[in-house]
Amino acid sequence: MRLGWTSTQWEGALSIILATLIILLSWPGQPAQAQQAVITSPQPFSVVRGRVTIEGTAVHPNFQRYELYYSPEPARDDTWVFIGEAHYNQVANGFLGTWETRGLPDGLYSLRLRVVRQDANYDEYIVRGLQVANTQPTDTPTPAATPTPTVTPTPLPPTPTVIVMAPVLDTPTPEAGATPTPVAIARASQPAQPSSEQAQPGVLSLRGMINAFWTGAKWSLIVFASVGAFFGLKWLIVWIWQQLTQHNT
C-alpha cells in the first residue's frame, strides 16, 4: 500500500519526530553521580616523609563514609592500620586526610581508601610501593659549575734608567816655597814601675818561714808528750791493778 502523502506532509511529520526527540533528550532528570574511590596523591612508588597529604576522590550515590588506612608491605588483611577517624563528607578531587609518618620505621608502605555505602558494602583503592624515608638525607641538587674567569695580565710600565753624575772636585795646588811646619806630639806619661825592694803581696819572708817552723815543732812536741803521758799513765794503772790482785791472792 502506498501512502499518498505530499512533500509538505512528509516535512511536517519529520519535524514532529525531531521535536519529540529533542524534548526527550533535554528532559531534566536526576544527574548520575560517578562511583569513585581514587587516591591521586601520593603516587605509587614515591618517596614520602613527615606529614603526608592524601588527595583524591571519595564519592558514591549511596555514600555513607570513607576511611583511610596504611600498612607495611607486603600488606595483609591483619596489617592495615586505621588513619585518624571516619569521614562522612564526600570529596571530589580534593583533600582526603593526613598521614603522619614520623613515628614509623623507614621502608615500603601501602595506602588504602575505602568508600563505605549505605548497605555496608564498600569500594577500595590501594596505592602501593610508598617509600617512607624520615631518617635518610634529602637529595641535595648539585650546583652548576661556575666558569673560571680568565685573568689577562696587565703590562707593567718600563723601568726608568737612573743616571748618577759624579761630582768634579777641585784639587788645590800647593804654593811654591811653602815649608810645612812640624807639629809636636806630646807623649803620654807612663805609670811608675814598682820598686823591686817593695814587698810583693802573697810572698812569705824568711823570718816568717822560721817562725812557722818553730810553731809547728812546738805543737808536735806537745802532741807527742800528751800521747806518751796517756800511755804511761795507762801502764801505771794496769801495773798497780796487777799488784793489788796478786797481794789479795
Side-chain angles (χ1 to χ4, degrees), residues 31-126:
Q33 191 171 19
Q35 302 178 12
Q36 289 185 342
V38 179
I39 295 177
T40 58
S41 178
Q43 293 292 323
F45 307 105
S46 59
V47 179
V48 296
R49 57 176 53 89
R51 295 173 60 88
V52 180
T53 300
I54 305 173
E55 297 179 350
T57 299
V59 296
H60 195 277
N62 296 321
F63 177 86
Q64 184 188 54
R65 68 182 184 275
Y66 73 86
E67 300 167 347
L68 295 170
Y69 299 83
Y70 76 88
S71 171
E73 293 188 353
R76 301 188 304 271
D77 292 340
D78 58 345
T79 59
W80 291 102
V81 179
F82 187 61
I83 299 176
E85 58 186 11
H87 304 269
Y88 295 93
N89 295 322
Q90 301 187 68
V91 176
N93 296 324
F95 174 78
L96 294 176
T98 301
W99 178 28
E100 179 59 70
T101 67
R102 283 177 289 190
L104 301 178
D106 290 353
L108 292 176
Y109 289 82
S110 296
L111 273 179
R112 181 175 72 181
L113 168 63
R114 174 177 289 182
V115 177
V116 183
R117 301 192 292 267
Q118 297 290 342
D119 57 1
N121 291 319
Y122 54 83
D123 298 325
E124 287 186 344
Y125 187 89
I126 298 176

Side-chain angles (χ1 to χ4, degrees), residues 205-230:
S205 62
L206 180 61
R207 187 178 183 84
M209 294 177 63
I210 295 173
N211 291 334
F213 172 77
W214 285 114
T215 301
K218 181 176 64 176
W219 282 106
S220 298
L221 290 175
I222 293 174
V223 171
F224 280 111
S226 299
V227 173
F230 172 75

Side-chain angles (χ1 to χ4, degrees), residues 2-24:
R2 184 178 179 181
L3 296 177
W5 287 3
T6 62
S7 59
T8 303
Q9 291 175 338
W10 281 108
E11 291 177 359
L14 291 175
S15 299
I16 294 172
I17 294 172
L18 291 175
T20 303
L21 291 175
I22 293 173
I23 292 173
L24 291 176

